[in-house]
Amino acid sequence: SGFEFQGLHFHSTLAMTDKGLPLGLLDHHIWARQEQKVKGHANTKIPIGEKESFKWFRGLRAAAKIPKADIIVVCDREGDIYELFDEALDQGLGLIVRLQHDRILFDEEFEYIRILDRLTAEKPMGHITIEVPGSGKRKSRQADLEIKYLPITFAAHPRGIKTQRVLKRMDLDLSVVQLNEKNPPTGEEPLSWTLVTTLTVKSLKEAIEVMTYYK
């Protein structure tokens, strides 16, 4: 194709206190990216240990080695991996990941429904105002966010589908917190975060804690 991959990629797992004080690196991984020859549905058949996304598992397992500490691992959208949530639950770790995949849930009221559709059916539970730092493209501002939260269940076999990839999966009981900015300044994209977590979220206070860890 004439496309060339250049340079190295670096992925780190940084330990911090709940107040944001850096403590040091728990893990780091450096690699040269190769051209992805297998794409689409065929790519899902490759074992997770052979994929670039295994970097998130390296970080999770490094965090699990810290003795006598309450651990919460925070990942951006690339960490939205079913097996990562499964492993975090198995190891008793907190995990917060920004949603990338609008997965199918099993819900007692709606049966099989996607996460974002399920959140649409919920009324806001509260509001919070946060400081949005400026960057080269935007001015600093305050943002008023609506907050929704509820328990969710990732469906292991959505609508009864049992392909080889999901055959051994179990339903995962998690929580979701969604924050949406309703009145952004003219010309600004509204903030919108949907955070899936292994932490139990049953109150506005707990929802704000999840948002704070991610922010």
Side-chain angles (χ1 to χ4, degrees):
S1 63
F3 185 83
E4 294 184 4
F5 291 85
Q6 299 182 21
L8 299 175
H9 288 261
F10 176 77
H11 186 264
S12 61
T13 303
L14 175 66
M16 307 176 76
T17 68
D18 59 350
K19 303 300 182 183
L21 177 67
L23 301 176
L25 284 176
L26 295 178
D27 181 71
H28 69 273
H29 180 48
I30 301 172
W31 73 99
R33 179 173 288 172
Q34 303 296 317
E35 183 177 2
Q36 184 178 334
K37 297 181 179 180
V38 179
K39 300 180 181 180
H41 181 69
N43 185 53
T44 65
K45 299 178 181 179
I46 300 174
I48 192 72
E50 298 177 16
K51 293 184 177 182
E52 188 175 296
S53 54
F54 189 69
K55 61 192 177 186
W56 299 104
F57 292 82
R58 286 176 54 107
L60 189 79
R61 292 168 187 178
K65 294 178 182 178
I66 299 177
K68 299 180 180 179
D70 293 327
I71 304 298
I72 299 174
V73 179
V74 181
C75 306
D76 215 343
R77 292 175 177 174
E78 287 185 40
D80 185 4
I81 304 167
Y82 177 97
E83 289 82 4
L84 192 67
F85 286 103
D86 193 18
E87 183 159 332
L89 288 170
D90 282 345
Q91 298 205 35
L93 296 176
L95 178 64
I96 299 170
V97 180
R98 187 174 178 184
L99 181 74
Q100 181 179 37
H101 305 296
D102 191 10
R103 301 179 191 278
I104 296 176
L105 309 176
F106 180 77
D107 186 275
E108 290 185 359
E109 182 178 356
F110 296 91
E111 294 191 353
Y112 292 113
I113 185 171
R114 292 194 179 274
I115 297 175
L116 296 181
D117 289 337
R118 181 64 184 86
L119 285 163
T120 299
E122 287 293 304
K123 294 181 179 179
M125 306 290 192
H127 294 257
I128 187 171
T129 300
I130 66 169
E131 293 288 337
V132 181
S135 67
K137 296 182 180 179
R138 70 183 181 202
K139 296 180 180 180
S140 61
R141 73 175 196 273
Q142 289 189 329
D144 181 38
L145 305 177
E146 286 185 346
I147 303 175
K148 297 180 180 181
Y149 59 88
L150 71 155
I152 58 173
T153 300
F154 278 7
H157 308 117
R159 301 189 179 100
I161 297 172
K162 292 186 179 182
T163 62
Q164 191 65 33
R165 183 189 178 201
V166 304
L167 191 60
K168 296 182 180 180
R169 284 184 176 181
M170 303 290 287
D171 289 350
L172 301 182
D173 293 326
L174 303 163
S175 301
V176 63
V177 176
Q178 187 179 66
L179 302 109
N180 285 317
E181 184 180 16
K182 288 301 180 183
N183 297 298
T186 301
E188 293 283 356
E189 284 289 325
L191 290 185
S192 181
W193 297 340
T194 302
L195 309 174
V196 181
T197 179
T198 61
L199 302 174
T200 301
V201 181
K202 293 185 176 180
S203 68
L204 185 61
K205 178 183 177 182
E206 290 172 336
I208 292 173
E209 286 178 349
V210 169
M211 180 212 69
T212 302
Y213 290 135
Y214 179 78
K215 183 169 73 72

